[in-house]
Amino acid sequence: MKVLLSWIREFVDVPESPEDIGKLLSVRGLALEGLEPHGDDVVMDFDVTANRPDCLSMIGIAREIATAYNRPLRSEGDGFSHRHTAATAKAVALRTSTDGLPITIEAPDLCPRYAGAVADVTVGPSPQWLQDRLTACGIRSISNVVDITNYVLLELGQPMHAFDLAKLGGGAIVVRRAKPGESIKTLDGKLRSLSPGMLVIADAARAQAIGGVMGGADSEVTAATTRIVFEAAYFNPSSVRATSKALGLKTDASTRFERGMDLTAPARAMARACALLEQIGAGKATGTIVDVFPQPPTPRPVGLERASISGLLGMEVPDAGVERILRSLGFDVKSASAKATAGHAGWSITAPAWRVDIKRPVDLIEEVGRHHGFEHLPSTFPGVQQAPAASDPRIVRDRRVRTALLGMGFSEAITFAFIEATAAEPFLAGLDPIALANPLSEKFAVMRPSLLPGLIDAVSHNRRHGRRDVQLLEIGTRFSPRGETRGAAFAWTGLATADHWSGARREVDFFDLKGVIEQLAAVSLVAVTFADADQAYLVKGRSAKIAVGGTTVGVFGLLDGAVAARRDLPPGDAVYIAEINLDALTAAASLETLRAAPLPRYPWVVRDISILVDDTLSAGAVRGTIRSAAPGFLIDVREFDRYQGKGIPDGKVSLSFRLTFQSFERTLTDEEVQAGMQHIIDALTRDLQAMQR
Amino acid sequence: MTIDPSIGPDKARELFRAELADVRTDAELQALRTRWVGRKGSWVSAFMEALATATPEQKKAFGRGANELKKEVEAAIAEREAALAATRRPADAVDITLPGRPPRLGHRHPLSLIRDEVGAIFTRLGYQVLEGPEIEDDYHNFEALNMPEEHPARDMQDTFYLQTPLMPAAHAATAEAIALRTPALRPPQPLTLLRTHTSAMQIRHMEMNAPPVRLVAIGPVYRKDALDLTHTPMFHQVEGLVVGKGVTLADLKGTLAAMAEALFGPGTGVRFRPSFFPYTEPSAEVDIQCIKCKGAGCAMCKRTGWIEILGSGMVHPAVFEAVGYDPNEVTGFAFGMGVERVALLKWGVEDIRLFYENDLRFLEQFGL
């Protein structure tokens, strides 16, 4: 809200500098957004919060300043010296007339109050001072009559309108809902079709204005206008909001009405407008002001307990301060302490009609608190009544996985949870994507079904910006029609080893990634098994599913070249990716039931064995045969060499295993170990046709 | 250079000391040894030779001096030899100026660092840290927070809505559990939107738990803002909620002052400015003293000395009523802060989009 300092000073004596006023008001609830000189004057731009439509006016801002500085407010400003003398007729009927113009409210639910006044006018330019004030506050000067409506809007906050009386057919004003198929050409020159339920101000035949939103072009005041009707009314906030939204039409009037206006203001505003008309020589009201207000509401007082003020704020405000602040803001304050018990002593407060935001005691406490000054709040801490409950267990779990991956060289990425539909497509696993109805753009159209698309794009970004080796991880939410799950994903491309002057370089491969997963499993205390993956976005034969106790918890492997190319990765890049469902992993983990085993007290025995087998046989199968044939004291089997080539027949592979035997009960004898070895060799020969080398 | 034996031992000592002081290498030291105490042609041998033909008086006068000088020279040379040896690097020494072989180690994302830091601060203050669903229903995101149907924030322009409402099994189960605890509350509602604040999580917590409450909810939230220097359509929020008997606005101030000092350094002041949020009353926007100029006024704080950092207030009675708490029995405070905003301020990041580009050149500036 732009206000002019000189205009404010008509309502309150505030000689302080605009900077000083801005500083104080900023800590009283009106943040100063801008300060601009305007000739000898200053325009102050205050940020008015949505709950305070009353501050969208000079008098509203002046009232806040008066309270902040503890100065009296002149509710009629210095400019009011020229009074309009016509008496205000307090009509209570739904239908009444001014100077022969009947006004009828047919929709009192949408318009509980409508004031009108007929005036003879000579349309022309406004005096310079008036034009200046409007311009300073961001409103274009149009003509003396229209300028008066805008002047009153700025000064008192009450939106007004002026109709050319000659253009009102049938010489009547009817406030009613729009008829089916009705339309109106608004002041901005657009033809608008109205839906039934929208409130219009009509003459005897048709709509001449959209109530509280915009006037109609047909009854617009022009240079030729000689007789007008001023309108000052109260329109229902929800109705104006709905109409403004449906028509896509936001005006100074609609923004005020939809927040809630002052039910008492129309009469004041009308008197002010008529007075201004005479003051600037633009014309004269010819009849009485007619104020159709059939059911003035009874203001409802709100009780304010003294103890609740310090109870909520944590600072004491003296009674005199409470009363001063509320009275200064226009509240009616009655002490309710006399007969009440000490604990409930306080006040009965009635809010002024312009304070549409005051409904509960806390609303009053806020008024007291902010004008007493939040700067007086002490710094205290809330007491603890019971031990705080545990945090979300996912936080600790995620931290463990993140720390492990960081320690294995992956840097942490955070990507947007919405992605392009085509990027999500390969990762949907047969489920529907969660699409947004109103995405920011095609790039953010669906919620990610997997962390991988975002991570692949992040790898692609780094590759395209000249980074050869990229290791990234992300921990976050994945979305599917079945709900949300938390996942950890990581991607690796480039060198597997440190790029160092001393050593050989090697590109990352399948086993680098598998090693990472095995380490993650180790620190998560789960045993994982692997099987061929069938995800289309992974290269067959270079990818695997990860399972814990029969449940698949993730996949990893080489990213399919076509998917990589679609995400602008340089051709030929080998990007290894992995994704783990952390929720599924946690469900299988045994961290809570961990019992530490004692260290073995007897020595171990190591035996190596090298065999020739068919090269189609997996290492896993060989290891399985060894384990099933081995005695109970075999504690470890490790592949330490795999060789094909010179000296090995075609179709065969040489595998070397290191077997470790150890008993927790006694020292093993050579004979025992030898018998065990023989048993293993027999099984390998018998079951896998292995030849010992 | 030859040495003049006619110089007496005292003079010779002086000369030797001067020469020794200039010796820098093993080779120079060897040359010095040869010149002074070598078997042939050295000063000592020449002096001894000269002494052989001297008078007995001269022998008596200079002989002992020459011997002492010889011993002294040899000792001094041996000492320097040892000193030189001590500075010499062994043959198998490595060039320690070559770069080290770095073990693999990743860098934390800056937003993740702030999340953890704030989580740790509030854990220290006795809060539980919670995370919640990112897809929400209308009721938990808006209505229960005193933002009725016509509230402007519910506009399509500010909130992301789903094309098709969802009712996953887990969500239905939670809704049922809530209905069991507080039958008056809503029946299960389909999920329709991306949460615009983590406050939705606070509603869920209060529905399921009786007071007192002392929590922070951390996580991503979504608002329909176009990408620019200061906006991203997804960002992260930390929200705090404390509910109990006698919780006051002053408690909020103390809490936020403690957080500001922990995040931005000791002595960082906070300022409360009255404001408006539908779910708090009174409401306050909270500024911290500008971390750049310490309140003196600079470009960063637009010469005000203060930087806005979060919104807060006392929980609105309507919110308590929505979750089945009695506003006459309990009061509470709540605050919400953008993680990105803290990171931008703390590290002087000038473009918020950097947090989502995941450029390693950016990420690697941060620690672990």
Side-chain angles (χ1 to χ4, degrees):
Chain A
M1 177 71 198
K2 283 185 174 165
V3 302
L4 208 54
L5 188 54
S6 65
W7 205 344
I8 293 292
R9 284 178 173 155
E10 288 183 3
F11 291 93
V12 56
D13 293 323
V14 54
E16 281 79 1
S17 74
E19 289 80 9
D20 193 280
I21 296 169
K23 228 177 221 172
L24 183 62
L25 271 277
S26 284
V27 293
R28 295 290 180 264
L30 282 169
L32 186 70
E33 295 277 283
L35 202 63
E36 264 178 57
H38 181 81
D40 300 337
D41 218 334
V42 180
V43 176
M44 303 180 75
D45 190 0
F46 288 103
D47 182 20
V48 175
T49 52
N51 60 329
R52 295 295 307 276
D54 63 299
C55 282
L56 296 172
S57 63
M58 299 302 145
I59 190 157
I61 303 273
R63 185 177 291 113
E64 285 293 326
I65 293 173
T67 306
Y69 282 100
N70 194 11
R71 310 259 163 84
L73 177 82
R74 291 184 289 277
S75 63
E76 296 195 338
D78 303 340
F80 282 61
S81 53
H82 188 99
R83 292 283 172 80
H84 175 67
T85 45
T88 301
K90 274 243 165 160
V92 288
L94 278 178
R95 185 193 164 98
T96 183
S97 66
T98 171
D99 199 18
L101 177 82
I103 297 175
T104 312
I105 298 178
E106 286 183 2
D109 53 333
L110 303 189
C111 176
R113 184 172 200 178
Y114 193 101
V118 173
D120 288 328
V121 295
T122 312
V123 176
S126 299
Q128 198 56 45
W129 67 264
L130 202 157
Q131 291 193 26
D132 269 359
R133 283 198 162 178
L134 294 185
T135 319
C137 298
I139 289 183
R140 198 164 50 93
S141 167
I142 293 167
S143 67
N144 48 9
V145 171
V146 177
D147 287 358
I148 283 172
T149 62
N150 283 327
Y151 191 87
V152 173
L153 168 82
L154 289 175
E155 187 171 73
L156 301 178
Q158 169 68 47
M160 289 190 70
H161 185 60
F163 296 97
D164 184 333
L165 184 56
K167 310 272 178 61
L168 293 184
I173 282 182
V174 182
V175 185
R176 59 165 169 83
R177 286 180 163 82
K179 293 170 182 161
E182 195 168 14
S183 65
I184 182 175
K185 193 166 150 199
T186 40
L187 279 172
D188 53 5
K190 290 191 178 139
L191 188 71
R192 297 174 186 275
S193 0
L194 305 170
S195 30
M198 289 180 178
L199 187 77
V200 298
I201 315 303
D203 57 20
R206 58 201 182 94
Q208 292 288 0
I210 305 170
V213 180
M214 194 180 261
D218 291 348
S219 51
E220 182 179 7
V221 171
T222 66
T225 305
T226 57
R227 222 162 135 67
I228 60 155
V229 184
F230 271 136
E231 164 197 294
Y234 178 96
F235 297 112
N236 177 284
S238 319
S239 159
V240 172
R241 187 180 303 113
T243 303
S244 156
K245 206 177 159 187
L247 296 175
L249 186 58
K250 235 177 153 55
T251 59
D252 283 332
S254 74
T255 44
R256 285 173 171 82
F257 281 123
E258 69 175 42
R259 291 180 189 186
M261 281 283 91
D262 175 358
L263 248 175
T264 64
R268 284 199 304 277
M270 188 58 83
R272 177 68 175 140
C274 292
L276 277 168
L277 201 61
E278 283 185 42
Q279 187 189 333
I280 66 169
K284 191 173 181 5
T286 55
T288 51
I289 293 169
V290 169
D291 186 8
V292 189
F293 192 20
Q295 278 185 305
T298 321
R300 280 202 322 194
V302 177
L304 177 61
E305 288 175 20
R306 178 180 288 111
S308 69
I309 299 175
S310 58
L312 193 70
L313 299 177
M315 66 175 170
E316 296 291 340
V317 183
D319 285 4
V322 174
E323 292 174 11
R324 188 217 38 105
I325 290 165
L326 291 174
R327 287 201 173 109
S328 170
L329 290 172
F331 289 79
D332 179 53
V333 181
K334 285 195 177 70
S335 178
S337 57
K339 286 183 183 172
T341 60
H344 293 294
W347 301 268
S348 171
I349 313 277
T350 308
W354 58 82
R355 288 307 299 270
V356 294
D357 59 316
I358 304 295
K359 295 184 180 81
R360 298 174 183 253
V362 283
D363 301 323
L364 297 169
I365 296 172
E366 174 168 65
E367 296 307 294
V368 170
R370 73 186 173 92
H371 273 295
H372 183 67
F374 285 172
E375 66 270 23
H376 298 305
L377 283 170
S379 279
T380 55
F381 288 87
V384 181
Q385 282 107 32
Q386 66 182 42
S391 290
D392 190 323
R394 291 180 296 184
I395 296 171
V396 172
R397 175 202 67 190
D398 293 355
R399 186 179 299 143
R400 179 169 53 242
V401 172
R402 182 190 297 117
T403 306
L405 288 170
L406 287 164
M408 292 186 275
F410 296 88
S411 285
E412 190 180 15
I414 295 180
T415 66
F416 289 128
F418 19 52
I419 59 176
E420 243 172 308
T422 50
E425 206 278 328
F427 299 90
L428 288 172
L431 295 170
D432 287 334
I434 307 287
L436 295 182
N438 57 337
L440 200 57
S441 78
E442 285 306 306
K443 278 183 75 183
F444 308 114
V446 301
M447 300 309 288
R448 61 184 176 205
S450 152
L451 295 164
L452 289 170
L455 210 51
I456 291 166
D457 280 359
V459 173
S460 179
H461 168 92
N462 279 288
R463 290 287 295 121
R464 283 182 279 112
H465 286 78
R467 176 66 77 127
R468 186 193 54 199
D469 306 328
V470 181
Q471 270 185 285
L472 286 174
L473 85 98
E474 181 168 13
I475 292 173
T477 306
R478 296 100 43 89
F479 304 85
S480 93
R482 290 175 193 161
E484 299 175 19
T485 52
R486 188 73 60 86
F490 44 101
W492 192 346
T493 187
L495 291 183
T497 48
D499 186 7
H500 194 245
W501 53 268
S502 67
R505 295 167 170 203
R506 183 175 63 72
E507 295 281 317
V508 61
D509 66 17
F510 179 88
F511 296 102
D512 290 308
L513 227 65
K514 187 176 177 188
V516 171
I517 287 155
E518 286 166 335
Q519 295 285 52
L520 271 185
V523 295
S524 303
L525 307 191
V526 293
V528 289
T529 56
F530 299 91
D532 277 325
D534 46 15
Q535 272 70 17
Y537 58 86
L538 294 173
V539 173
K540 200 168 182 181
R542 287 274 190 283
S543 57
K545 284 191 287 201
I546 310 156
V548 177
T551 311
T552 301
V553 298
V555 289
F556 73 100
L558 180 60
L559 177 64
D560 177 68
V563 176
R566 281 205 292 280
R567 303 320 295 173
D568 293 331
L569 275 156
D573 265 19
V575 181
Y576 280 89
I577 53 174
E579 184 169 32
I580 295 168
N581 181 340
L582 291 176
D583 298 337
L585 190 75
T586 322
S590 54
L591 289 164
E592 267 77 56
T593 56
L594 171 69
R595 305 288 304 159
L599 298 181
R601 290 159 59 199
Y602 302 98
W604 69 85
V605 180
V606 169
R607 291 277 190 277
D608 289 351
I609 177 172
S610 285
I611 53 169
L612 275 183
V613 291
D614 284 351
D615 64 2
T616 54
L617 204 58
S618 74
V622 178
R623 206 181 313 121
T625 302
I626 294 173
R627 283 205 180 277
S628 57
F633 49 80
L634 173 75
I635 59 159
D636 190 44
V637 183
R638 186 150 307 197
E639 292 84 349
F640 71 89
D641 191 40
R642 183 179 195 278
Y643 176 69
Q644 267 180 305
K646 211 177 156 212
I648 306 294
D650 275 357
K652 297 279 176 190
V653 62
S654 161
L655 294 176
S656 302
F657 294 86
R658 175 155 298 159
L659 311 183
T660 308
F661 301 95
Q662 188 171 38
S663 165
F664 280 75
E665 282 116 34
R666 63 203 150 80
T667 301
L668 295 172
T669 66
D670 253 10
E671 292 72 29
E672 277 179 296
V673 174
Q674 200 46 51
M677 280 300 287
Q678 195 54 53
H679 207 64
I680 290 167
I681 290 162
D682 290 347
L684 289 170
T685 314
R686 184 182 64 242
D687 299 344
L688 305 178
Q689 289 76 52
M691 285 188 295
Q692 197 177 358
R693 293 186 73 210
Chain B
M1 149 187 184
T2 54
I3 291 158
D4 181 3
S6 68
I7 298 169
D10 291 342
K11 188 81 180 156
R13 179 179 289 110
E14 233 173 81
L15 200 61
F16 169 76
R17 288 284 171 199
E19 285 184 25
L20 182 68
D22 288 339
V23 165
R24 293 283 173 272
T25 66
D26 281 340
E28 282 170 13
L29 191 67
Q30 286 316 314
L32 187 76
R33 186 202 302 272
T34 311
R35 211 154 58 237
W36 282 92
V37 292
R39 218 163 270 177
K40 278 185 181 161
S42 72
W43 186 89
V44 171
S45 60
F47 193 78
M48 289 303 181
E49 256 170 55
L51 217 56
T53 57
T55 61
E57 290 75 27
Q58 281 173 317
K59 279 184 189 170
K60 197 176 174 189
F62 294 114
R64 189 194 297 183
N67 269 324
E68 275 173 10
L69 180 65
K70 187 184 174 189
K71 274 187 202 146
E72 200 181 313
V73 165
E74 280 170 345
I77 286 175
E79 190 189 318
R80 176 57 59 91
E81 201 168 21
L84 280 174
T87 62
R88 201 186 309 126
R89 308 188 73 232
D92 58 354
V94 297
D95 179 354
I96 59 158
T97 66
L98 277 169
R101 189 180 296 118
R104 293 270 171 190
L105 195 57
H107 293 255
R108 280 284 293 281
H109 194 286
L111 298 179
S112 173
L113 287 168
I114 300 283
R115 267 178 80 149
D116 261 23
E117 192 177 346
V118 175
I121 291 168
F122 283 99
T123 303
R124 179 161 61 77
L125 294 175
Y127 290 58
Q128 59 177 150
V129 185
L130 297 180
E131 297 177 353
E134 292 167 43
I135 297 185
E136 262 299 350
D137 57 43
D138 216 69
Y139 178 74
H140 287 94
N141 195 73
F142 290 128
E143 213 175 316
L145 285 152
N146 200 27
M147 293 158 90
E149 195 128 359
E150 55 209 18
H151 196 275
R154 299 176 68 160
D155 212 81
M156 291 280 273
Q157 278 168 6
D158 301 308
T159 304
F160 288 113
Y161 288 92
L162 303 188
Q163 222 166 55
T164 318
L166 289 178
M167 181 65 90
H171 176 62
T174 324
E176 216 164 280
I178 291 167
L180 281 177
R181 192 188 158 262
T182 36
L185 298 182
R186 292 272 156 137
Q189 285 200 350
L191 301 169
T192 53
L193 51 85
L194 304 187
R195 65 175 176 191
T196 60
H197 42 199
T198 43
S199 318
M201 179 61 214
Q202 306 183 349
I203 297 296
R204 290 193 173 280
H205 182 86
M206 287 191 282
E207 282 174 337
M208 296 295 283
N209 300 276
V213 174
R214 209 177 169 94
L215 66 86
V216 286
I218 308 186
V221 298
Y222 305 86
R223 284 181 205 171
K224 206 176 168 191
D225 287 320
L227 282 160
D228 62 25
L229 281 177
T230 51
H231 296 90
T232 47
M234 172 179 122
F235 62 98
H236 293 75
Q237 220 181 25
V238 179
E239 289 205 353
L241 174 70
V242 172
V243 181
K245 279 188 190 297
V247 177
T248 67
L249 191 64
D251 292 340
L252 174 63
K253 190 174 185 181
T255 301
L256 293 179
M259 181 195 74
E261 292 212 2
L263 270 181
F264 296 105
T268 306
V270 296
R271 178 175 81 160
F272 274 41
R273 280 181 297 107
S275 188
F276 169 69
F277 306 108
Y279 29 83
T280 49
E281 188 80 25
S283 304
E285 275 176 308
V286 178
D287 302 332
I288 55 161
Q289 221 159 38
C290 179
I291 51 175
K292 201 165 172 186
C293 64
K294 303 287 170 211
C298 67
M300 186 171 170
C301 56
K302 294 180 194 144
R303 320 250 154 244
T304 62
W306 297 94
I307 293 179
E308 187 186 327
I309 184 158
L310 58 81
S312 66
M314 300 305 292
V315 179
H316 198 286
V319 175
F320 283 146
E321 285 159 7
V323 298
Y325 286 12
D326 182 354
N328 297 314
E329 284 296 309
V330 291
T331 54
F333 66 68
F335 59 88
M337 177 174 75
V339 173
E340 278 80 353
R341 176 130 183 90
V342 174
L344 288 171
L345 289 174
K346 198 174 164 95
W347 289 306
V349 179
E350 281 169 2
D351 185 346
I352 195 173
R353 291 168 294 196
L354 282 169
F355 294 127
Y356 292 93
E357 254 174 19
N358 299 299
D359 193 309
L360 284 163
R361 294 169 297 180
F362 177 68
L363 297 178
E364 285 172 358
Q365 296 178 43
F366 299 92
L368 197 58

